[in-house]
Amino acid sequence: RWSVGVSVSDEYDYFHVGVDGRLERDFNGNNTTAYVGAAYAQDDINPVGGAPIPLAPMREVGNLSSKAGDDSKDLIDVLIGVTQVLSRRSLLELSYSYGSADGYLNDAYKFLSVVDPVTGAPVPGPAGSGLNLYLYESRPDSRTKQSLFAEWRYAFDRDSMAVNVRYMTDDWGIDSETVEARYRWNIDDRNYLEPQLRWYTQGAADFYRTALFDGEALPRYASADYRLADLDAWTAGAKYGHRTDRGEFSVRLAYYRQEANPSPGVAVGDLAGFDLVPPLTAVIAQFGYKFRL
């Protein structure tokens, strides 16, 4: 079996186009399925005012001397895996994925505060700007990621469950682990309830810095983006589904909490009294309907 796809997304400061394909083959009496997939995408980044120059200071409104033109990035992803029937009730899926990104990988709207190394107070920015010193972030212009994924599924007489784990590593210094469990309770022939628990943890990127200190030599790369920090996250939720004669209606409600840590040694002076990376919580509601033609 094979499948192909095309994706297009257009925003006022971003344009994406991508293609993907997947090939599957059954063998061993249809008890084993092997698959391989690949995807390519190109993204054009058009930030308001232009893409910031890495580690350039933020300027007053109308001053674009710290901005450059538009930019772009290319992304390639490859996936290989196998699904094996273990018994009449259980199966195991194993996969490996590799991803590569090249080009403009900065977040155009992220910056770092420069503070006094003793007091922790912000230092003045460029003369005449009226701003404190904020520097636009700088990330490497390439990134490779590798991940291993395993999922075990088990069917009871009426219900079923799935448990999966994922390990990811990249050349930015981030290692992450994910564990997720789902249980599908089939209430009757048309209705089901599926609770979910998920835990995620990652280490910080090599260049993650909550803030920079005035007077120190600027690093080549630095970002205060909390998504690159040392963090843990939990998700707990449930999905309700109802099958109709022509499809399926579903609603999912989940609670998400994320706790991240600042970079070491940054809590000096006034900063010691602040939660530099506050916890993030979110309530997620999703509604969907699948049509069967």
Side-chain angles (χ1 to χ4, degrees), residues 204-271:
D206 295 335
F207 51 88
Y208 174 71
R209 299 282 296 273
T210 308
L212 297 176
F213 291 131
D214 188 36
E216 291 187 349
L218 287 179
R220 182 179 182 184
Y221 303 119
S223 174
D225 190 340
Y226 69 87
R227 295 171 296 182
L228 302 177
D230 176 23
L231 64 83
D232 297 284
W234 302 265
T235 304
K239 177 182 178 181
Y240 167 76
H242 173 75
R243 283 186 287 271
T244 67
D245 293 336
R246 291 189 173 275
E248 178 182 300
F249 165 80
S250 65
V251 56
R252 176 176 176 263
L253 188 65
Y255 174 80
Y256 174 83
R257 180 176 177 85
Q258 175 182 285
E259 297 179 356
N261 297 310
S263 56
V266 74
V268 299
D270 294 340
L271 296 182

Side-chain angles (χ1 to χ4, degrees), residues 34-46:
Y35 57 85
V36 58
Y40 171 78
Q42 183 177 65
D43 298 344
D44 294 325
I45 300 100
N46 313 296

Side-chain angles (χ1 to χ4, degrees), residues 179-192:
V179 180
E180 181 182 24
R182 303 186 306 275
Y183 186 93
R184 179 162 173 142
W185 174 33
N186 290 310
I187 302 171
D188 53 37
D189 291 341
R190 288 183 176 266
N191 300 281
Y192 68 87

Side-chain angles (χ1 to χ4, degrees), residues 123-141:
V123 300
S129 67
L131 301 173
N132 293 324
L133 185 54
Y134 303 112
L135 304 183
Y136 292 106
E137 70 167 25
S138 174
R139 305 186 190 188
D141 59 6

Side-chain angles (χ1 to χ4, degrees), residues 146-164:
Q146 300 181 78
S147 67
L148 294 173
F149 173 83
E151 181 170 80
W152 176 68
R153 305 175 195 170
Y154 187 85
F156 300 96
D157 290 337
R158 183 185 64 180
D159 305 333
S160 63
M161 66 175 294
V163 178
N164 65 64

Side-chain angles (χ1 to χ4, degrees), residues 47 50-56 66-69 104 106-110 136-137:
I53 300 170
L55 297 179
S66 293
K67 302 291 186 71
Y104 186 80
N106 291 334
D107 187 320
Y109 305 112
K110 298 291 185 182
Y136 292 106
E137 70 167 25

